[in-house]
Amino acid sequence: MAYRAVLIIGLLVVGLLGCAKCGDAPADQKQGAAATSGDPAATEEAAPGGRKLRSEIPLRVFAVNSFSAALPALANRYRESYNGKELAITFGTPDDLIRQIRDSQAADLLILDDPDLVRMLKEEKLIEHASVLAAAQLVVITNAEKPILLSVAEDLRKAEIKTIGIPASTTAAGKASMAYLGDQTLLNVLQPRLKEYPTVAEVVKAVGSGEVTVGFAYASAVRGRKQVKSTLACGLDAPPEFIAMPVTGSQNEGNAEEFVTILQDEASKKALVTAGFVDSASRVIY
């Protein structure tokens, strides 16, 4: 009995020593175990700024239609920077995009061209930060098959210009178009010829089909459209600016912050200029 008691005590001591050694496992082994444990936190990686990125969830980007010319190329830059991180991109009108965010917070990053809407989202606490990416180039476009050459704004008075398509006056592009005509003292005289459309894209479509003679649009919306071409660049003191803002509390807010950083670097600025935007000094609004 005494022998058995000594043997059992000896085995217990060995077992306790073994457990003590297990508790001193190297840190890299512990991390390796965490990476395969299925813990959701194991899918996070640290961004250069110290933010946590969610590699397993696509980054959901909502952007106004007018930004569609540039976003696909910029999204590729993001994928390359983060090992194929996927993005889910939705284009639409500002009202539609904001309504979806209010209803279900369905986006991680929002890109708009209207500072008044950005201010409203800030007041509603749907966003905390907002940064300017680039400015829009407002142009007058004409039908490619029946072009009308415009050298200066006064040429919009030409008799053959029966109708002028213009984005809705509630949109950033519409406000800019009206401001340009006002600055050129043409708004009152041309008012009877103006025909409003809900979006820039619909103005482009109307000019391309011949529904209107000429129209106001963003240069970025004309790129790649064979039916229309730019005939006059409109100089604006304060052109509409495209603003990016992470959605507060979204499932991928860290990735959204990191994408904004990429959107503001020199390579992205060059891509935006190529797509028809104007280089604008990157700055934080909020």
Side-chain angles (χ1 to χ4, degrees):
M1 292 293 293
Y3 172 77
R4 289 183 179 178
V6 172
L7 179 60
I8 291 171
I9 292 171
L11 290 173
L12 288 171
V13 171
V14 171
L16 290 171
L17 290 172
C19 289
K21 289 181 180 179
C22 290
D24 293 333
D28 58 345
Q29 290 183 13
K30 291 181 182 179
Q31 292 173 355
T36 58
S37 66
D39 184 351
T43 62
E44 295 184 349
E45 58 181 285
R51 293 180 286 270
K52 294 294 185 180
L53 304 186
R54 299 289 299 276
S55 59
E56 83 286 8
I57 304 175
L59 176 63
R60 303 165 303 170
V61 181
F62 279 14
V64 287
N65 291 314
S66 301
F67 204 68
S68 61
L71 194 50
L74 298 174
N76 286 336
R77 291 202 61 238
Y78 182 78
R79 293 187 185 97
E80 293 167 359
S81 299
Y82 290 98
N83 300 319
K85 168 75 178 180
E86 286 303 317
L87 294 92
I89 302 173
T90 300
F91 296 108
T93 65
D95 289 343
D96 287 342
L97 298 178
I98 292 173
R99 181 167 53 251
Q100 290 185 61
I101 290 175
R102 283 176 175 151
D103 290 345
S104 60
Q105 202 177 50
D108 302 301
L109 181 68
L110 179 63
I111 300 176
L112 300 176
D113 60 347
D114 191 329
D116 292 335
L117 294 178
V118 176
R119 187 180 306 108
M120 176 188 68
L121 293 171
K122 172 69 173 175
E123 292 172 354
E124 293 180 16
K125 301 186 184 305
L126 290 173
I127 65 164
E128 293 181 8
H129 311 294
S131 302
V132 172
L133 303 178
Q137 172 61 66
L138 185 70
V139 295
V140 178
I141 60 175
T142 183
N143 186 286
E145 294 184 357
K146 299 177 181 179
I148 294 180
L149 178 62
L150 304 179
S151 301
V152 294
E154 278 293 317
D155 290 340
L156 286 167
R157 293 174 177 266
K158 289 183 176 181
E160 61 264 39
I161 299 179
K162 304 297 183 183
T163 50
I164 301 172
I166 191 169
S169 56
T170 55
T171 66
K175 293 174 186 175
S177 303
M178 300 287 269
Y180 174 75
L181 290 174
D183 290 343
Q184 301 296 321
T185 64
L186 292 170
L187 185 56
N188 290 335
V189 67
L190 294 179
Q191 190 72 53
R193 305 190 204 180
L194 300 182
K195 184 175 182 180
E196 285 196 12
Y197 291 85
T199 65
V200 169
E202 293 190 48
V203 172
V204 174
K205 183 178 179 181
V207 175
S209 67
E211 185 176 319
V212 293
T213 315
V214 298
F216 284 88
Y218 290 155
S220 57
V222 181
R223 295 295 176 96
R225 303 293 194 275
K226 296 182 179 179
Q227 296 85 2
V228 298
K229 65 179 184 179
S230 174
T231 184
L232 178 66
C234 305
L236 296 173
D237 292 333
E241 294 179 314
F242 289 87
I243 304 166
M245 62 218 84
V247 178
T248 301
S250 67
Q251 64 181 7
N252 234 333
E253 189 174 356
N255 295 79
E257 295 274 6
E258 203 58 29
F259 193 23
V260 173
T261 301
I262 291 175
L263 290 171
Q264 291 178 310
D265 67 22
E266 289 304 316
S268 292
K269 286 184 178 182
K270 290 180 181 178
L272 286 166
V273 171
T274 300
F277 298 89
V278 177
D279 188 5
S280 181
S282 297
R283 66 184 188 280
V284 176
I285 299 177
Y286 300 114

